[in-house]
Amino acid sequence: MATVIQADESQGPRAAAPVRPVRQVDRVRHPAALIRLLAGLCWIALVLLLAGYARSAALGLDSDVARVAELVPWPPVKLAAALCGGALLTVPLAFAADRLLRGDGRRVADGVLAAVLAYGLSLGLDLLAGDLTTLTHALPGQLGRTAPVYGHLAPVLAFMTAVGTDGLRRWRTALGVTLGLSALSGLITGYATPLSLVLALLLGWTTAHATRYAVGEPVGCPTEAQIAAALAGSGVRPDIVLPVGPSRYLVTQHGDRPDLDVHLLDRHAQASGLLGALWLALRLRTAPRPLGLRPLRDGLEHQTLLGHAASAAGARTRTPVAATELGPDAALVAYRRIDARPFADLFAEAAEDDDLEDGARPTGAELRDAWQQLALLQRRRIAHRTVSPENVLLDAEGRVHLVGLARGEIAASDLLLRLDVAGLLAVLALSAGPERAVRSAIDVLGPGPVGAALPLLQPIALARGTRAALARRKGLTVELRAEAQRQLPQAATEPVRLERVRPRVLLTVAAVIAAGYALVQFLLEVDTNPVAVVADADPLWLAGAAFFAALSYPVATFAFSGFVPERLSFRSTLAAQVAGSFVKVASPGGVGGLALNTRYLQRAGIPTAQAMSSIGVSQLFGLVLHMLQLAVFAALVGADGSRFDDGSALPDGWVLGLAGAVAAAVGFSIAAVPALRRRAQTLLRPLRAEVLPRLLDLAQHPGRLASGVAGQLLVSMCFVMCLYCCTRAVGQYPGFNAVAVGFLAGNAAGNVAPTPGGVGGVEVLMSFTLAEAGHFDSTGALAAVVLFRVLTFMLPVLPGWAAFAWLQRRRAI
């Protein structure tokens, strides 16, 4: 066997090692198939929920289809049905024969498996969904009998999707026409309903992607002759093509032309590590975009462009020589071969043993050269993004090369450039030690860039290879920070939070929400499932509740802006109010929203003291208005027919009189007792020093103050209307005043309860007050409250996260 030298493992300044050719992978489980499988399952569940939820609407649609079908003469219908049945059999058979003749026997076998599974699942779904009247009963006036799934379509779609029709425009057209005519024939003859057709298509599509992910997709590996032919068409003169690694080839050229490293871009390269990259992209704000989410041609162009840009910047890296496509599923990039080896190989022993002599470590000149190469990239604002021991090479002359720019960026932000500095610091510390790594960085880059990178020196922000090496060197990150702090005493080393969300926060929030709803159901001894509540709700009243829940956010924007004399962007302020829905799931009461709004005002250029004063003024007005509304609606309970359990209405003015008496007694006690008076003065000092001056500033803008007060009142009314619509949606008929009392009392409990979003306390007190004031059973009250919380607490979390991320990208928080 011939010895082949790989570009990254060639004869360097230390030792050379032979590299054996690696066999290519035959099948690939592409995560895109898994994503489509999950999406298909969600759509199937949604259709089944719709079938049981909007049963009357579905029956009306079926009846309309049946009446139209009665107008069609029967002989042509029977002939069309027979032709469609023949087409459903002929088209997949012809497609299979065409694929077999082209050597795609494996894909045809996968398609047959998908078709069998789709047919079996259709039969199983027929049995499981047999109680859905809209799917199983025959249409009026028709001769046929429908099934939950129109099983003729699912196997055909599953077969052709599993085999693959990408780039085969004629076959895709034939499949679409056949499925469309067959679906129309099923509707006219009465053997299908619209929902059964949708289920059949979804089931076939989902089964196809489930099969593709379960057994893997065959990946055609190009032969050496095909690679040589593709390179020859790009101006290269290939002589010998040798595989030297997964998707890697060494190509020698005729004459004195230099050897080439060829990188193959195929579906295997796209699928490799995609799920981990997706998870990292969700967690980390600075994570590079996964390669598998880019089309193959975009990845080819991006990789080639980065190589040329880095070479033009003067940095030593792999220079692209040729780039070409090998078909719809593969492409290649040819680079000029570098006779160098990675730091990970050259200094592997040095990374493990601190007692080695200096000859086994990189020299000072080599360390400075590494930083000079990074400085050349940063001067052109090119971010490497994956600086790791495998991508920092050293040749026989002691020159450093930076390779692996496939995930890099041009015109990069300061944050990405700082991350590259942190990454190279970690790589050089692994091989040369923290002291020499920091000293060489300061010598080349200066103390400013090095100090700015120290807060980003955290494992989660580094490349995978660097994280793995640091995991073997326990404590090296801490030593590196300590050494940097010693050489740069003025630099800040406190880590910057780069994570969007931490896994433990997600787990904690999910556990708290589940525990809260479990506690509610246990205390009230009812079984209220949020999904069942939404499914059984009246659609018109549910739509009204959703409308008022959504309306509360722009109204809250006007309310918030009314207490800030400075001019704010309406779009950003609205995003901040929506983002509060995401923040409050991880903080008790309204603490998270207060912190978010304060930070938003600070980033808007308002000094911290004034920002906190505006928040204090809005909270003060909100508290006063909330208590006044609660007193007024409590006094009005009975005017709209609401009663308590004893059948008597609450006397008008009773609550206001009681509240006044209590307030007078509390005021007299504070004034009479010196200890209470001193305590009250201490508590009110911030109010007098900060809030009152801000309130005087607002008094000079009466229009803004009026909009703030009106907005506070309208926000409460939006939520009251939402809760009222929820009670009507679940079949209860309370008075409006009783609903207002239930919301205002429950919302007050939510701000006091030490759980995220007031989970538990809101549901218990709101449902109890609603049942008492509205005079209906606790089960109906809890169902209305659960529906209300779904619309105002659970569903806004995802839009709130999107708004939070948008504000972070705009540096508005």
Side-chain angles (χ1 to χ4, degrees):
M1 183 184 69
T3 299
V4 180
I5 305 301
Q6 188 180 0
D8 286 355
E9 301 177 352
S10 61
Q11 179 70 33
R14 299 329 195 243
V19 180
R20 296 176 180 271
V22 180
R23 182 176 179 271
Q24 296 290 333
V25 179
D26 292 332
R27 285 184 176 269
V28 173
R29 288 184 175 88
H30 203 287
L34 177 61
I35 296 174
R36 294 189 179 106
L37 165 62
L38 297 176
L41 292 176
C42 292
W43 279 108
I44 291 174
L46 182 62
V47 171
L48 290 176
L49 181 64
L50 179 63
Y53 168 61
R55 193 171 291 186
S56 58
L59 281 174
L61 178 61
D62 296 344
S63 300
D64 294 339
V65 172
R67 283 194 293 269
V68 174
E70 290 176 354
L71 303 177
V72 181
W74 272 99
V77 170
K78 292 182 178 180
L79 178 60
L83 292 176
C84 291
L88 277 177
L89 181 63
T90 303
V91 170
L93 287 178
F95 182 66
D98 178 72
R99 294 294 94 191
L100 287 173
L101 292 175
R102 297 178 183 272
D104 285 343
R106 290 186 176 184
R107 291 184 181 271
V108 173
D110 295 344
V112 172
L113 176 60
V116 172
L117 291 176
Y119 186 71
L121 291 175
S122 299
L123 296 179
L125 192 57
D126 286 346
L127 299 176
L128 291 176
D131 59 339
L132 297 178
T133 305
T134 57
L135 294 178
T136 57
H137 287 64
L139 296 177
Q142 299 299 319
L143 300 178
R145 183 182 183 278
T146 63
V149 181
Y150 191 52
H152 300 81
L153 305 184
V156 175
L157 180 59
F159 172 79
M160 298 192 68
T161 303
V163 174
T165 57
D166 295 338
L168 306 176
R169 183 175 180 181
R170 293 182 179 179
W171 286 113
R172 296 182 68 175
T173 302
L175 175 63
V177 171
T178 302
L179 293 178
L181 292 178
S182 299
L184 183 61
S185 173
L187 288 175
I188 295 176
T189 56
Y191 285 98
T193 64
L195 286 179
S196 68
L197 292 175
V198 172
L199 270 179
L201 296 175
L202 286 175
L203 189 61
W205 186 79
T206 304
T207 305
H209 290 292
T211 304
R212 296 179 75 167
Y213 187 75
V215 303
E217 302 177 34
V219 177
C221 179
T223 64
E224 287 80 358
Q226 291 174 328
I227 293 176
L231 291 174
S234 301
V236 178
R237 299 180 59 189
D239 182 16
I240 301 175
V241 179
L242 296 175
V244 294
S247 304
R248 298 284 300 279
Y249 297 86
L250 173 63
V251 177
T252 62
Q253 298 190 79
H254 292 286
D256 296 331
R257 293 193 175 190
D259 296 343
L260 303 178
D261 280 327
V262 176
H263 292 203
L264 182 66
L265 306 178
D266 55 7
R267 295 183 67 83
H268 178 266
Q270 286 185 307
S272 179
L274 180 57
L275 290 181
L278 286 174
W279 171 238
L280 188 63
L282 290 175
R283 286 185 58 194
L284 195 63
R285 293 190 292 116
T286 57
R289 181 184 177 187
L291 295 177
L293 296 183
R294 292 174 176 168
L296 188 65
R297 184 171 184 83
D298 288 355
L300 176 67
E301 294 175 349
H302 182 80
Q303 189 167 334
T304 306
L305 177 62
L306 260 296
H308 284 299
S311 299
R316 287 191 291 271
T317 186
R318 292 193 181 106
T319 304
V321 175
T324 183
E325 291 183 330
L326 296 175
D329 295 330
L332 59 83
V333 181
Y335 296 95
R336 191 182 303 274
R337 181 172 175 268
I338 298 175
D339 188 14
R341 294 184 63 193
F343 271 41
D345 294 343
L346 293 173
F347 308 110
E349 295 181 357
E352 301 293 338
D353 191 352
D354 293 334
D355 297 329
L356 288 180
E357 59 184 9
D358 291 340
R361 299 177 182 275
T363 64
E366 292 170 347
L367 294 177
R368 288 191 294 273
D369 189 38
W371 287 113
Q372 288 169 358
Q373 298 308 305
L374 184 65
L376 290 173
L377 293 179
Q378 301 222 331
R379 209 167 288 157
R380 297 290 184 93
R381 303 198 69 83
I382 300 174
H384 190 290
R385 307 212 64 176
T386 53
V387 179
S388 66
E390 293 79 12
N391 291 329
V392 182
L393 311 183
L394 186 65
D395 62 19
E397 299 177 3
R399 297 179 303 179
V400 175
H401 304 256
L402 294 181
V403 299
L405 285 162
R407 296 176 183 266
E409 284 192 18
I410 297 176
S413 64
D414 291 336
L415 180 61
L416 296 183
L417 299 180
R418 291 163 59 194
L419 281 172
D420 282 351
V421 176
L424 191 56
L425 266 176
V427 169
L428 298 183
L430 285 166
S431 56
E435 180 181 357
R436 298 179 63 206
V438 175
R439 187 170 62 248
S440 61
I442 296 175
D443 290 343
V444 177
L445 300 181
V450 179
L454 294 183
L456 305 176
L457 192 60
Q458 38 191 307
I460 190 175
L462 303 177
R464 179 181 300 178
T466 308
R467 292 200 303 269
L470 289 175
R472 295 191 296 268
R473 292 285 302 274
K474 303 290 185 181
L476 182 61
T477 305
V478 177
E479 295 176 12
L480 184 56
R481 285 203 191 98
E483 179 62 31
Q485 186 69 34
R486 188 186 66 81
Q487 298 190 32
L488 298 171
Q490 73 282 5
T493 58
E494 184 68 22
V496 175
R497 181 175 177 179
L498 300 175
E499 292 177 283
R500 289 191 177 99
V501 61
R502 297 178 179 177
R504 63 182 180 183
V505 173
L506 294 177
L507 293 176
T508 302
V509 170
V512 170
I513 292 176
Y517 277 103
L519 176 63
V520 171
Q521 295 183 10
F522 174 75
L523 292 176
L524 299 180
E525 297 182 354
V526 295
D527 184 15
T528 304
N529 188 334
V531 177
V533 169
V534 176
D536 296 334
D538 182 87
L540 294 179
W541 284 108
L542 180 61
F547 170 76
F548 284 108
L551 183 63
S552 65
Y553 291 102
V555 173
T557 303
F558 284 108
F560 178 76
S561 302
F563 294 102
V564 181
E566 292 80 7
R567 186 176 183 84
L568 299 175
S569 168
F570 178 81
R571 183 175 62 174
S572 299
T573 308
L574 176 61
Q577 306 313 304
V578 177
S581 302
F582 169 69
V583 174
K584 69 182 179 182
V585 301
S587 58
V591 176
L594 294 179
L596 177 68
N597 287 329
T598 303
R599 179 61 176 168
Y600 168 70
L601 292 180
Q602 290 175 335
R603 298 295 292 178
I606 300 176
T608 302
Q610 297 180 12
M612 297 183 65
S613 299
S614 294
I615 299 297
V617 171
S618 65
Q619 291 298 305
L620 177 62
F621 270 88
L623 176 62
V624 173
L625 293 174
H626 189 92
M627 299 307 297
L628 288 176
Q629 287 175 295
L630 178 59
V632 170
F633 281 109
L636 293 177
V637 170
D640 55 1
S642 301
R643 296 289 188 274
F644 286 93
D645 285 343
D646 59 359
S648 62
L650 192 66
D652 293 341
W654 186 85
V655 173
L656 292 177
L658 179 61
V662 172
V666 171
F668 177 78
S669 300
I670 293 176
V673 180
L676 294 178
R677 187 168 61 250
R678 287 193 298 271
R679 180 61 177 169
Q681 291 175 350
T682 302
L683 294 176
L684 294 176
R685 187 175 296 113
L687 178 67
R688 184 177 65 251
E690 299 176 2
V691 176
L692 291 182
R694 192 65 164 171
L695 188 57
L696 294 177
D697 292 340
L698 286 171
Q700 301 176 9
H701 304 82
R704 280 186 172 274
L705 186 59
S707 66
V709 173
Q712 291 275 15
L713 294 172
L714 289 177
V715 168
S716 298
M717 289 301 99
C718 284
F719 285 118
V720 171
M721 287 298 301
C722 178
L723 181 57
Y724 181 78
C725 293
C726 290
T727 58
R728 299 298 299 269
V730 298
Q732 304 296 329
Y733 301 92
F736 182 81
N737 296 329
V739 174
V741 171
F743 164 75
L744 294 169
N747 189 58
N751 290 327
V752 177
T755 57
V759 173
V762 171
E763 288 80 6
V764 170
L765 185 56
M766 190 178 293
S767 58
F768 173 78
T769 309
L770 191 60
E772 290 294 316
H775 194 56
F776 54 89
D777 60 279
S778 59
T779 303
L782 181 59
V785 172
V786 168
L787 184 58
F788 172 78
R789 293 287 279 172
V790 168
L791 294 175
T792 60
F793 178 69
M794 297 175 64
L795 292 183
V797 171
L798 185 58
W801 172 79
F804 189 85
W806 182 78
L807 290 171
Q808 283 186 322
R809 289 195 302 270
R810 293 176 59 89
R811 299 182 179 179
I813 56 175

